[in-house]
Amino acid sequence: MEKKYKLFINGVWVDSEDGSSIDVINPATGEKITEVSQASQNQVNAAVDAAREAFDRGPWSRMAPAERSNLLLKVAERIENKLQEYATIESMISGKTIKQSSNYDMPYIVDNIRYMAGTARNFEGKALKEYVPEGASTIRRDPIGVVAAITPWNYPLMEVIWRAIAAISVGNTVVVKPASLTPVTTLMLASDLEAVGLPKGVFNVIVGPGSSVGEQLAKNKKVDMIAFTGSTEVGKRLMELGSSTLKKVSLELGGKAPFIVFDDADVEAAVQGAVVGGLVNNGEDCANSTRYYIHENIYSKFLDALLRELRKVKIGNPLDETVDMGPLISESHRERVESYIRKGIEEGGKLTYGGKRPLSKGFYLEPTVIETDNNSSVIVQEEIFGPVWTVLKFKDYDEVIEKANDVIYGLGASVWTKDITRAIRATRDLSFATVWINEHVPVPSEMPWPSYKQSGSGSSLSTYGLEEYTYVKHVYFDISGATRKSWYYQVYGQK
Ligand code: NAP
């Protein structure tokens, strides 16, 4: 890792104008590992101007899709070749285990980019068709323009791929503002994009607090679209900021996924899925299973097995290949998560497992299980964004669907059953944008990652995820050649 990282604006690496910088802390130790220049107001505007110029007058938006695609394929290859370096730095800045970043996040990112590079080449409108006798219509899909991509700390690089690489793959230009806690791999990506010859101004990175740099970027009149991944609260604020110039706003926000286990399920498989669904990314994943609804007939069996497995979870240095769970992202985030544990107990929940700080150094927290029968309690309703899970008992189908749907979020849900009819019915009845049956977490690059309710709007991945960054344009061709078309009399003159 470098000692200090600069900003990337208009194809040039620049220091902060006023000398200010942001420290990057290793959550496993609490120590500073590097620092990054912080963008001034002028630099935020300069990055937007560069993206505007690159979109309006640069070659990127008019380039043959194959040419854009080839550049992205080269970037995917560079990341693949440096996979361990990317994975190690991602783990050092975010606390996620090296097991996850090198075996899952980075290979998945490479696949995401290759998928986008390939799919963007096949982007087409509808073929020409005569919907009226005198005219032929076709549909074009055009890039939107300058996209402000504002991303979170939990998947620092992946979210930049899902937002910024998706946007540029179909001809937009971007200004990325990564989370202040985890900007390093985004800047490494900028360096690799530069190395493969991305035209200047297409991909810019500015770093700084969301409340100042993020807001200034989102408000800029030259920005056409805000692509945001983060909390529901900030998503609402960005909708407000975007409204003054009616920017397109695409939001991927919080989640509170239910994990429903019926009494005919393979309980051991459900338990394995429950540990992984809850623990993936140290419990800091918007898709984490967080509300376990267990049928009363198998409640004790499931819970005993879940606790048996949780005792095996190895917590420690995320760079150790054998570690299952690293630290949370920051001290303040750990305190926030712990406050939810206290709240859960105050509300009558039973702390069945965990809740303690297992190591004296770093921001570690044990996986925590709270049993409750109160679906309205704060720990069941609010996104905790840490390894704190509630377990609730249910009696029948209607009851559990109603409880599962009774949250403001609608990102992911899973159902564990061997009854195919019930499984299909649940996919209809659950108000969540992704429903897994006998599984929790996987999303292939070809499939969308959309949102219901206050989990956001729009989608990532798949063709839907790329369409997100395009306008639909109708083009109408007169094919009659007539001076006066047959319908003009309706406006003036006679038939
Ligand atoms: P966050 O606090 O909302 O921050 C996300 C990004 O927004 C950061 O870059 C942040 O900058 C910036 N920001 C904060 N306030 C802003 C403002 N007023 N104006 C403009 N930008 C602002 O979220 P987080 O804590 O980083 O990430 C966790 C959240 O992301 C969770 O809610 C999680 O569910 C959600 N998430 C959702 C998905 C999904 O696919 N739906 C995926 C991943 C994460 P600073 O870092 O400088 O504060």
Side-chain angles (χ1 to χ4, degrees), residues 141-203:
R141 284 223 166 243
D142 290 338
I144 288 175
V146 174
V147 177
I150 303 178
T151 54
W153 47 259
N154 68 329
Y155 284 95
L157 186 61
M158 191 187 300
E159 289 301 339
V160 174
I161 303 303
W162 286 21
R163 293 330 217 140
I165 297 295
I168 69 171
S169 75
V170 289
N172 300 281
T173 59
V174 295
V175 178
V176 186
K177 196 216 83 66
S180 306
L181 292 165
T182 55
V184 179
T185 41
T186 305
L187 291 159
M188 288 168 63
L189 173 69
S191 166
D192 280 319
L193 287 163
E194 182 188 25
V196 301
L198 192 80
K200 67 174 188 165
V202 173
F203 187 94

Side-chain angles (χ1 to χ4, degrees), residues 192-265:
D192 280 319
L193 287 163
E194 182 188 25
V196 301
L198 192 80
K200 67 174 188 165
V202 173
F203 187 94
N204 306 273
V205 185
I206 53 169
V207 180
S211 55
S212 53
V213 168
E215 294 227 352
Q216 199 198 331
L217 172 63
K219 277 192 286 202
N220 191 305
K221 289 191 169 61
K222 295 179 189 170
V223 168
D224 301 301
M225 173 175 179
I226 301 171
F228 172 71
T229 305
S231 59
T232 295
E233 192 191 347
V234 174
K236 289 179 185 175
R237 173 74 183 139
L238 289 173
M239 261 195 152
E240 273 173 38
L241 292 177
S243 69
S244 65
T245 52
L246 280 182
K247 298 182 200 316
K248 177 167 183 180
V249 182
S250 171
L251 302 171
E252 282 182 1
L253 311 175
K256 190 78 185 175
F259 185 106
I260 303 169
V261 188
F262 287 98
D263 57 354
D264 65 340

Side-chain angles (χ1 to χ4, degrees), residues 75-93 98 101-102 106 109-110 157 161 184-193:
V75 168
E77 195 178 349
R78 281 182 79 87
I79 297 175
E80 196 169 44
N81 291 340
K82 293 197 280 185
L83 200 131
Q84 276 315 321
E85 185 189 344
Y86 264 106
T88 304
I89 293 179
E90 191 81 323
S91 286
M92 285 175 76
I93 59 176
I98 191 74
S101 52
S102 62
M106 294 305 152
I109 281 169
V110 169
L157 186 61
I161 303 303
V184 179
T185 41
T186 305
L187 291 159
M188 288 168 63
L189 173 69
S191 166
D192 280 319
L193 287 163

Side-chain angles (χ1 to χ4, degrees), residues 311-350:
R311 284 185 202 102
K312 296 181 194 164
V313 170
K314 186 172 172 187
I315 304 173
N317 178 1
L319 295 182
D320 176 342
E321 293 278 354
T322 65
V323 158
D324 302 313
M325 188 184 179
L328 300 191
I329 187 69
S330 65
E331 181 59 61
S332 63
H333 186 58
R334 176 168 67 173
E335 283 167 7
R336 182 178 173 274
V337 173
E338 287 171 332
S339 75
Y340 273 109
I341 299 174
R342 286 193 298 277
K343 186 91 187 157
I345 296 165
E346 279 163 28
E347 284 180 318
K350 179 182 165 203

